[in-house]
Amino acid sequence: TNMKNLFFLSIILLFSCDNKNTRFGEVKIDDDKSIMIQKVFESVENEEIEYLKQVFSEDLEFTDPNGNILNKGEFISGVENIFDLFDNIKFKESPYEDHDNLEIETTYYSNGNVWTSIWSEFSGRGKYTNEIINFPFHISYQWKGGKIIREVQFFSTKVFDAENEAKSKVLQ
């Protein structure tokens, strides 16, 4: 059986040494694109929309957590609505000692696609419900020519729905 184990080990090593076929992507946490997403979230915390208008492509395809596909104008309006719904917007910082920003990473795939992902928590105070909210989220961003061409969001929209409902009652 030692000979059999040695045979399988050498087969595994043979395949794992062929870098061309096994290397599919490279993950970075301190590259330009990861830093740009960090700046997007700092802008949201500061309720500043200008940086988002610059970094998101005019051809943006934005998929919200409900699967609705929106364009850049609709996306920007949605962010401005978040500013109207919540005060004291904050995002949880990374627990890793060597990376004190948000949990953000960018993957550069061998096929040319580049995606940046963030895992964090949104917190704030609802301006219409006066409730303190906090929930986890995941968002991925696809890049093309230095701009975000696609955004896909993953989280529960319950707190946004409740705040929007409270807002609509105030406006009636």
Side-chain angles (χ1 to χ4, degrees), residues 1-9:
T1 54
N2 264 356
M3 208 52 180
K4 200 153 96 177
N5 288 346
L6 192 59
F7 173 74
F8 283 119
L9 183 62

Side-chain angles (χ1 to χ4, degrees), residues 91-130:
F91 299 100
K92 181 182 171 192
E93 293 192 348
S94 172
Y96 304 119
E97 288 176 32
D98 61 339
H99 191 60
D100 59 353
N101 293 324
L102 299 167
E103 290 184 59
I104 298 170
E105 64 183 39
T106 301
T107 305
Y108 294 80
Y109 292 99
S110 56
N111 64 4
N113 286 340
V114 179
W115 284 85
T116 300
S117 295
I118 177 171
W119 295 263
S120 189
E121 288 178 16
F122 177 104
S123 65
R125 184 187 59 79
K127 290 182 184 178
Y128 298 92
T129 62
N130 207 30

